[in-house]
Amino acid sequence: MKQTLLSFFVGSMILTSVAFAQNKKVSGRVTGADGKPLAGVTIAVQGSSLATQTDADGNYSFSVPTGKVIVFRSVGFADKTLIVKEGQSAFNVTLDNSDNTLNEVVVTALGISKSSRSIGYSTSKVSGEDLVKSGEANIIQGLAAKAAGVQITSSSGTPGASSKIVLRGAATFSGDNQPLIVIDGVPIDNSVNFIRAGDDPYNQNLAGVQLGNRALDINPDDIETVTILKGPAAAALYGQAAGNGAVIYTTKKGKLGSGLGITYSSGFDLQQVNKLPKFQNVYGQGENGKYMTTSADSWGENIAKAGKTAYNNVEDFFQNGNQFDNNLAISSGGEKTSFRFSVGSVNNKGIIPNTNFNRYSTRLGTESKLNDQITVGGNFSYTNSNTRAAQNGSNTAGAMLSLFRTPADFNLADYKNADGTQKKYFSNYDNPYWSTENNPYKEENSRFLGNAYTDVKLSDIFSVTWKTGLDTYSTEGTQIYAIGSNGDDNATRLGEIKRTNVNFKNIYTDLLLKLNTKINEDFSVNALLGGNFNYKQYRANFARGRNLSMPNYYNFASASELYASNTEEYTNSKAIFLDATFDYRSILFLTLTGRNEWSTTFGRNAKGFFYPKADISYVFSDLFKESKIVNFGKVRLAYSNVGISPTAYSDRAYYTVPTVADGMTGFSFPYLGQTGFAISSVAVSPSLGPERNVGYEAGLEMKFLQNRLGFDFTYYQQKSSDLLISQPIDPTSGYENYYNNIGEIKNTGYELALNGHVYKSDNFNWHATLNWSKNNNEVTELAEGVDKLSIGSAFSAPQSYAIVGEPFGVLYAQKFQRNAQGKILIDETSGLPIYEDEIDNVGSTIPKWLMNINNEFSYKNLSFSFLWDFRKGGKIWGGTQAGLYNRGKAEETADREREYVIEGVYGPGANEGEKNITKISALRYFKNYLGNSSSEIAMQDGSWARLRSIDVSYRFTKVSKAIQFIQVGVNLRNPILITKYKGIDPETSLTGSNQNFAGYDFFNNPGTKSYSINFRVGF
């Protein structure tokens, strides 16, 4: 394969050189209307593959056949064409500025491009270059700190881990709060395929491994632009699938008249842990100052005084990770046909031993104008990826739980006995070295994405567009627990193997009839009437074998106890929709949208549901065109009412296999060789409808001083009603709960985007952007008789709830009793705090505001940029840190040769209200006070100031006739993190991206920082 590509590459260069030798050489200089040279202008021979670009001084030179037309093209300028005549060899060209504000287009719902002037709702645009510069392999994580109103949370820094995106807050209790992900106009699946056994009643997201979200299958190097449709108004045309907004990715394509182009890029990334808790290495294993091998704690003897060695187990465990990125793209554009073909690879070795992620992708996009009326095209990609992940979380086989708790007088690195069994300091925890080697989770995914489309121009007014797309993948996962591991489900240490298989298929089709006409000199209409069909198929199989008969033989034939379960879902939806924009003098725009949708998730005979939307855009700056200060001004107003559908098969009560849990273990049928089924305990409303998300939005956009400064301000209010809740009912009815549309959530917020060319000259430019957003979330209604709604099975404390008057997902845990002045009440006898009888509100995980500042500098061919990311507020349950206090491992616990007094006042008793002076031992202070992970003391502020990236690059232009440019660069990701949070990087989530509750840190795998060098060459 490598030899074939090399031969093709060399042959292309030879043919290109021959073509240059046979043609007439022309040269010249390209400038703007202000006389300044323009770099990077594309000069192409129309109808040919011949093309070049201007250098930093605006100069160009290439060979052109006599009589051919050459086109000068650059973003922000009007195209200019010239004919090469006999005897002419020099062309100095001036390009006129185009009205960028007027002509700039935004890719919106259904992949429809609209003028930015006409859009009456807020959108954010991120370039594909910014995704690549982020250094992230995941196109979701690559959006972090790139736009206002967008919150990205990485589950961990391990290879292939998931990232979660939420736009303008949570809008549903039980559904997915993430936006719809769209590639080239076709929605794709972005789920996390966490498959659990049918007999498992617990939330396995609290343990196990961090799986990837399926958007990880997309190569960032193939992305041209990203449009973020943050509100329901922006995504109304997608109906129930985009009730939480949509993120539209548009891939790179060949351009007509651009000629042949080949780009190759390569990068190397060195990765390290970016933040860890601080540990004490003074005291070893044991209790009460004595060494005890039966203890899991580090309250033992002083290691140095005992003449022992203290080991840096945590620092020594992590390795330097690395990542290799390679991408090759070949594009060409003739007079009527263009194409782009790319191949790419990512090979990531993690900071945790024996972890990795590898992705291999290829993509082909092509488009052809068959004649002046018909255009056809398509995009096709295939991705193969494989992951090896490490255990984390509340997991006795988890790498971090054992690593962080290991006493400093035990050498973890000496982890294996002669017979291959593990050495461990405490019998209930696996040695992390041994676990990552012998308890792997391996996953392989194969995915195909494709779409084909046809545009037919029926007349000057009407056209028809048809597009159909397919998203299909197969994922196979294998989890092994070796004999002797503590990780098996039934805690027998006899070994276990789990195999999962997921097959997904999504078929999506749009048919659009478009109208574009001028009614008179002042009015025009741009409209479409369309229909849509969407079919989804999801099948998952789970198989488990326990009690393995021999080590290192991981086949179900080796298991004495077998279990299997499977899940199948089939859904389809149909819709018709109308979208019409009425344009008055390109100043005032009114857009009306209506979509009626039918979905099988509401039952076989469900009626359709209608979703309306309206938005207005008024470009008021046209009233004072002669102004030298104000160049552009627009006000926006938008209203929308979209839906969110229930999950498949929730429209009725089914017979299910009962599962019984006792808090530690569980069992289900088949039991003792007998099968068993019972009707679901949840009755379903016969009038089940969609959850509604009604949004109001107002915005102001302005640009000043020849478009050098600008801002975009948005205020929004979104009310999600008819949310689906299981309401408790009288058990004598035969059911325990009633599933009905009744809950409400309200989101209100502000978004501000500032941008400006701080300094601009011939050689030096400084461009800065600032994005700031604030979202206020409040649960406004629950069902009658329901005072709080659990939004996910988690620990006994803390818990995450939806509670009227509180933000969604508020954390509940043990709270201290306090007096009227807010001082903690202390038990005079024990010296410890007095707790409330019931768990209560200890804080919201939602940040108070988010902000990012990006600065970009360029001097001739040198560019430099850096991105700061800020988060204010948002609670995180620091379960890891509390556990370290409890176990005597936290750095502060080294100060244990004295007594402590907890600040507060005495509770009920003879000295009630007096200042607490009761002294307690260090053991009780750390273990029973700071180490109480179920209490409010474990809640920490998740604020941060983060230098998310630094990027430096230099571009060599016109290296030779064949080589257009060579670019070399250096990138730093997460080099600086400033936070008061004690633990790992607070951008973490134990429950991953497929759970609605967040803010949990309980021995999560840590985040990373990286230093990379990259190289790019264009031919």
Side-chain angles (χ1 to χ4, degrees), residues 168-191:
R168 295 181 175 176
T172 178
F173 291 154
S174 56
D176 189 357
N177 277 296
Q178 297 191 87
L180 181 69
I181 305 300
V182 181
I183 305 290
D184 291 329
V186 177
I188 69 164
D189 182 66
N190 184 38
S191 60

Side-chain angles (χ1 to χ4, degrees), residues 122 167-168 228-236 242-246 640 693 697 718:
S122 174
L167 310 178
R168 295 181 175 176
I228 304 173
L229 309 180
K230 289 174 282 190
N244 301 304
S640 60
N693 190 354
E697 180 182 309
Q718 295 173 193

Side-chain angles (χ1 to χ4, degrees), residues 908-924:
N911 297 309
E912 183 175 1
E914 294 184 13
K915 182 178 180 180
N916 174 41
I917 57 172
T918 302
K919 296 180 179 180
I920 58 175
S921 67
L923 177 66
R924 298 190 71 194

Side-chain angles (χ1 to χ4, degrees), residues 372-435:
D372 291 339
Q373 286 75 41
I374 302 176
T375 300
V376 297
N379 295 276
F380 312 96
S381 70
Y382 174 76
T383 303
N384 178 268
S385 60
N386 58 79
T387 305
R388 179 173 173 137
Q391 303 288 316
N392 84 146
S394 182
N395 184 349
T396 55
M400 295 307 108
L401 187 143
S402 176
L403 175 66
F404 287 178
R405 292 181 178 183
T406 299
D409 55 351
F410 182 88
N411 183 12
L412 270 179
D414 182 20
Y415 68 97
K416 192 183 297 186
N417 294 308
D419 61 357
T421 59
Q422 62 176 312
K423 295 180 181 179
K424 46 188 178 180
Y425 88 95
F426 185 63
S427 61
N428 290 340
Y429 304 153
D430 282 354
N431 186 303
Y433 287 96
W434 188 90
S435 184

